[in-house]
């Protein structure tokens, strides 16, 4: 654990040094056959505009997902989908508008305002512009990784709209994962006529265990090939989730328990988990660790207007053969996304 902490510290220090160097670099002018800063940012804007859709159209979503039940209620997860589409569309609007304005400013067709200059410099330094970050979900990724992650998120939401509910939900792909959690609880509460406040999740790691990387799912979908998930079924109650990472721990596949971190393996993936609502669930004092789940490795946030933290998501009760104090001392947590 301490060796991994040292590696993490050195990585952080190195990235800080690189970013500092990039920030003080002068704006380049093309000399000879090299590219100027204007050329680099213009091409980057072109590539991003090619990759990102203008918007997600919820009207094209599978109609049966929005059919009301016998009591006139729409599936809560379909409502979550609509809300996610709205949030992503607002973000896309901010990004595309600024990219188009950046291209105009570089061409001399518009004034390079202070805000556009800030976006220009951020793109040149592989940093997510503040204007985009303020309209987006929490993330510590550099710009290149951030854009790839956004593409995966948009594809995840797009496939959900087109083909209906996925067998397993990419927890990291949600703009607001707390809304998804509430939607899953609400579906169970409506089905069995129990108060939603009386429900708690059981966090069951699928035996196997089974792993599911969203990048692999997306690659298969892009190639029009079905992703092989035949080893597990969609549950009758609750939801399957994937895409989480362990920090300061690992998953013992043989024992199907939480285990100590392995040297050099900073953030191993967490297997697929079944989140099963249970009105009778009682937290056990031994044999499990109430592992906090955060959106990013920063592990800090503020209370938003919804009353939810901007970073903390939920406590996940994971099986272990060690004490709770052991994991607290190591600072063990789950993360929705990594920094790179």
């Amino acid at each position: 654990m301490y060796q991994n902490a040292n590696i993490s510290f050195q990585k952080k220090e190195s990235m800080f040094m690189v970013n500092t160097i990039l920030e003080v670099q002068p704006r380049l002018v093309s000399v000879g056959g090299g590219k100027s800063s204007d050329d680099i940012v213009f091409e980057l804007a072109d590539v991003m505009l090619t990759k990102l859709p203008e918007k997600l159209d919820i009207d094209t979503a599978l109609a049966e997902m929005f059919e009301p039940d016998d009591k006139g209620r729409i599936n809560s997860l379909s409502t979550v989908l609509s809300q996610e589409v709205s949030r992503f569309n607002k973000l896309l609007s901010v990004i595309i508008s600024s990219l188009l304005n950046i291209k105009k400013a570089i061409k001399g067709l518009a004034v390079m305002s202070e805000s556009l200059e800030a976006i220009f410099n951020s793109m040149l330094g592989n940093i997510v512009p503040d204007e985009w970050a303020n309209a987006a979900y929490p993330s510590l990724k550099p710009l290149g990784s951030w854009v790839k992650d956004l593409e995966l998120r948009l594809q995840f939401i797009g496939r959900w709209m087109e083909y209906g509910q996925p067998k397993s939900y990419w927890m990291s792909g949600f703009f607001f994962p707390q809304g998804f959690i509430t939607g899953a609880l609400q579906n169970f509460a409506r089905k069995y006529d129990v108060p939603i406040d009386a429900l708690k999740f059981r966090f069951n790691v699928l035996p196997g265990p089974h792993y599911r990387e969203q990048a692999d799912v997306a690659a298969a979908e892009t190639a029009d090939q079905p992703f092989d998930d035949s080893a597990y079924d969609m549950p009758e109650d609750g939801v399957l989730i994937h895409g989480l990472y362990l920090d300061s721990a690992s998953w013992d596949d043989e024992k199907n328990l939480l285990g100590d971190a392995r040297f050099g393996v900073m953030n191993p993936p967490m297997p697929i988990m079944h989140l099963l609502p249970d009105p009778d669930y009682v937290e056990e004092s031994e044999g499990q660790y109430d592992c906090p789940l955060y959106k990013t490795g920063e592990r800090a946030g503020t209370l938003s207007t919804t009353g939810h933290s901007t970073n903390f998501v939920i406590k996940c009760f994971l099986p272990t053969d060690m004490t709770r104090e052991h994991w607290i001392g190591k600072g063990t947590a789950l993360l929705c996304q990594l920094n790179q």
Side-chain angles (χ1 to χ4, degrees):
M1 190 296 185
Y2 297 112
Q3 292 172 316
N4 280 358
N6 190 44
I7 294 173
S8 181
F9 170 76
Q10 291 174 345
K11 276 185 169 181
K12 187 175 181 179
E13 288 294 296
S14 299
M15 287 305 300
F16 177 77
M17 184 178 294
V18 170
N19 290 335
T20 302
I21 293 172
L22 289 173
E23 286 176 2
V24 299
Q25 288 297 303
R27 186 163 172 173
L28 301 177
V29 178
S30 179
V31 178
K35 293 181 180 179
S36 67
S37 297
D38 287 357
D39 294 334
I40 294 171
V41 173
F42 192 91
E43 289 183 11
L44 181 56
D46 252 349
V47 170
M48 291 178 64
L49 286 170
T50 302
K51 290 184 175 182
L52 298 178
E54 289 188 11
K55 63 175 293 189
L56 298 171
D57 190 358
I58 193 64
D59 293 333
T60 64
L62 197 64
E64 64 186 46
M65 290 194 297
F66 296 91
E67 293 178 357
D69 60 15
D70 53 1
K71 294 184 179 180
R73 302 171 301 193
I74 295 175
N75 187 301
S76 295
L77 292 181
S78 296
T79 303
V80 170
L81 174 62
S82 298
Q83 294 169 343
E84 288 290 309
V85 167
S86 177
R87 294 185 183 102
F88 277 111
N89 281 341
K90 289 179 182 177
L91 174 59
L92 285 171
S93 176
V94 171
I95 294 173
I96 291 173
S97 174
S98 60
L99 289 176
L100 293 174
N101 288 333
I102 277 284
K103 290 181 64 178
K104 289 179 182 178
I106 292 174
K107 285 183 175 181
L109 302 176
V111 176
M112 182 69 82
S113 64
E114 186 177 344
S115 61
L116 287 179
E117 182 78 23
I119 294 173
F120 181 98
N121 291 332
S122 294
M123 293 176 67
L124 197 59
N126 197 28
I127 300 170
V128 180
D130 288 342
E131 186 174 329
W132 301 0
N134 292 336
Y137 37 82
S139 178
L140 302 177
K141 293 180 180 292
L143 181 59
S145 300
W146 188 86
V147 173
K148 289 180 182 178
D149 178 70
L150 176 59
E151 289 180 63
L152 286 176
R153 290 171 186 254
L154 294 172
Q155 184 173 340
F156 167 66
I157 296 296
R159 298 284 294 193
W160 184 356
M161 286 196 300
E162 186 176 359
Y163 297 102
Q165 295 182 12
K167 182 177 286 189
S168 177
Y169 292 87
W170 184 32
M171 191 69 166
S172 310
F174 288 100
F175 211 108
F176 186 57
Q178 293 96 325
F180 166 72
I181 288 170
T182 301
L185 289 173
Q186 194 168 49
N187 273 349
F188 186 93
R190 287 175 175 178
K191 181 177 179 179
Y192 295 101
D193 291 323
V194 296
I196 191 171
D197 293 340
L199 295 176
K200 289 186 178 180
F201 278 122
R202 286 185 180 273
F203 298 86
N204 302 320
V205 177
L206 294 191
H210 300 288
Y211 293 87
R212 182 180 175 118
E213 286 289 340
Q214 190 61 27
D216 296 336
V217 177
E221 293 171 347
T222 301
D224 289 327
Q225 298 175 353
F227 180 77
D228 185 12
D229 55 7
S230 57
Y232 46 90
D233 299 317
M234 183 180 291
E236 183 177 343
D237 294 320
V239 291
L240 298 182
I241 65 167
H242 65 279
L244 304 183
Y245 300 89
L246 283 160
D247 195 17
S248 301
S250 65
W251 190 258
D252 190 322
D253 291 346
E254 294 184 1
K255 296 181 179 179
N256 212 28
L257 296 172
L258 194 63
D260 278 328
R262 294 183 289 271
F263 175 67
V265 183
M266 307 306 296
N267 297 109
M270 183 69 190
I272 297 174
M273 287 197 295
H274 179 199
L275 273 59
L276 177 63
D278 186 347
D280 302 317
Y281 179 67
V282 178
E283 299 176 10
E284 299 174 10
S285 58
E286 297 182 0
Q288 63 179 14
Y289 168 56
D290 47 336
C291 186
L293 169 61
Y294 297 99
K295 295 179 185 177
T296 71
E298 191 175 28
R299 302 198 189 191
T302 58
L303 284 179
S304 64
T305 53
T306 61
H308 295 88
S309 169
T310 55
N311 204 327
F312 174 76
V313 181
I314 192 175
K315 288 192 298 184
C316 301
F317 293 90
L318 304 180
T320 178
D321 55 4
M322 300 183 189
T323 65
R324 181 173 179 266
E325 289 71 25
H326 173 83
W327 300 114
I328 292 175
K330 289 181 175 291
T332 300
L334 282 166
L335 306 177
C336 283
Q337 59 173 294
L338 305 180
N339 298 353
Q340 299 297 322

